[in-house]
């Protein structure tokens, strides 16, 4: 007979709301009003360390340190690019890497977060897709990306006002954790959230149609859809998920999302040389957008060794954009920031993971890396 021991997992500080924390404190014989003081440190001061909560008695700080999980990922490396972006490579409690990119603009500071380690969806143009899937990130691990980056930009006199889920992973494949995270980000600071505006938190998806509809019902945030082709055969070639949710289903989901939220949608369209940016594709894209209130972001493909595509020339980019503009579809060309430090989508963590997985067999290392540390 084997005896199975289950060690109860400590709740993480970034996943506790006022009533849950109050209940924990009371169970320790502490006054419930301390819960609000603790959460104020976390959400107003971005302090996720009980030893620094100076208005709490020492005994309570100790109980908090042992009774609650305060783990924040270690900043394994931080690389700044000339364009003002900083790529953070963060090491999780399980020894895996996730990345977050700070994007500094004149009038705002934005954070690109990861929702998974790796991704299951295997888009052919994406480095994260090439890695395969390791695991979902917990809500507290996504929120920790915000808390850590927030402390960095606060020291520069900036406020992290925008979040985009465009790092590693497919957010709607990690649905519940992402919804919990977004709700915490949107909750006002006085109610112990990060106080972001719902127009400033953008979930980017490769098009998991049923989850797009769920999202509209569950939380009011902005939506970006990685479209990249508007003909099924081509989109399936670039994004295998299109076989499961073809364009007709995706469009129906977007129409429903829009009917429920009343908000505009951002369509992301990577321009890949000799693949998806000719006149035929421009016409197909115009057709797809009809009936949607959408803006299109055109993103020239970022080439990497191992990815089979190239970036088109400037003339092709301009011609594609002109076709849309003449039909009143706003389509700015967006160049990915931080290319010199591999800041675009999943690239730094992908490099790190590739380095690690290159050594013995991929499977062996994956098994080692998904096991929690003793
Ligand atoms: N999984 C989600 C969010 C993460 S990917 C999604 O697919 O939307 C974030 C964005 O980076 C997506 O729009 C994706 O298509 C884009 N991307 C991936 N690889 C790229 C590359 N090599 N060049 C330019 N954009 C890329
Ligand atoms: Fe996954 Fe998005 Fe990359 Fe596709 S583009 S593989 S969905 S991270």
């Amino acid at each position: 007979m084997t005896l199975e021991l289950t060690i109860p997992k400590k709740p993480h500080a970034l996943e506790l709301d006022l009533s849950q924390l109050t209940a924990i404190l009371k169970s320790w014989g502490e006054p419930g009003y301390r819960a609000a003081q603790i959460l104020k440190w976390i959400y107003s001061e971005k302090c996720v360390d009980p030893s620094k909560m100076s208005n709490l008695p020492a005994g309570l700080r100790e109980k908090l340190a042992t009774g609650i999980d305060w783990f924040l990922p270690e900043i394994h490396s931080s690389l700044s690019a000339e364009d003002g972006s900083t790529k953070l490579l963060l090491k999780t409690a399980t020894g895996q890497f996730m990345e977050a990119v700070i994007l500094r603009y004149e009038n705002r500071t934005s954070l690109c977060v990861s929702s998974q380690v790796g991704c299951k969806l295997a888009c052919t143009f994406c480095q994260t897709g090439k890695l395969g899937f390791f695991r979902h990130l917990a809500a507290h691990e996504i929120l920790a990306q915000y808390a850590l980056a927030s402390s960095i930009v606060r020291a520069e006199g900036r406020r992290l006002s925008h979040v985009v889920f465009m790092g590693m992973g497919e957010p709607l494949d990690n649905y519940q954790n992402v919804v919990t995270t977004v709700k915490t980000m949107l909750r006002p600071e006085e109610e112990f959230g990060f106080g972001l505006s719902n127009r400033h938190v953008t979930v980017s998806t490769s098009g998991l149609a049923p989850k797009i509809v769920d999202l509209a019902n569950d939380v009011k945030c902005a939506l970006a859809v990685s479209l990249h082709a508007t003909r099924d055969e081509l989109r399936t070639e670039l994004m295998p998920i299109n076989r499961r949710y073809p364009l007709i289903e995706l469009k129906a989901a977007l129409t429903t999302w829009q009917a429920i939220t009343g908000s505009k949608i951002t369509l992301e369209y990577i321009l890949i040389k000799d693949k998806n940016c000719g006149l035929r594709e421009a016409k197909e894209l115009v057709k797809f957008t009809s009936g949607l209130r959408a803006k299109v972001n055109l993103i020239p493909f970022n080439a990497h060794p191992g990815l089979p595509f190239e970036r088109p020339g400037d003339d092709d980019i301009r011609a594609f954009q002109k076709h849309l503009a003449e039909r009143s579809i706003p389509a700015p060309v967006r160049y990915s920031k931080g290319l010199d430090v591999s800041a675009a989508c999943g690239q730094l963590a992908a490099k790190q993971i590739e380095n690690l997985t290159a050594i013995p067999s991929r499977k062996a290392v994956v098994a080692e890396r998904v096991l929690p540390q003793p």
Side-chain angles (χ1 to χ4, degrees), residues 125-126 165-167 169-171 204-206 226 228 270 301-302 345:
F125 49 80
C126 173
F165 282 76
M166 292 188 186
E170 166 51 52
S204 173
T205 177
S206 56
S226 297
H228 312 327
I270 303 181
F301 171 69
N302 289 318
C345 182

Side-chain angles (χ1 to χ4, degrees), residues 116 118-130 167-170 205-206 226 228 239 345:
Q116 297 177 319
C119 181
K120 294 176 196 161
L121 301 186
C123 300
T124 49
F125 49 80
C126 173
Q127 277 208 306
T128 308
K130 283 242 163 304
M168 298 184 104
E170 166 51 52
T205 177
S206 56
S226 297
H228 312 327
M239 307 178 73
C345 182

Side-chain angles (χ1 to χ4, degrees), residues 90-102:
L90 306 171
K91 198 169 176 185
T92 65
T94 52
Q96 289 156 317
F97 291 96
M98 58 184 182
E99 62 176 37
V101 186
I102 300 169

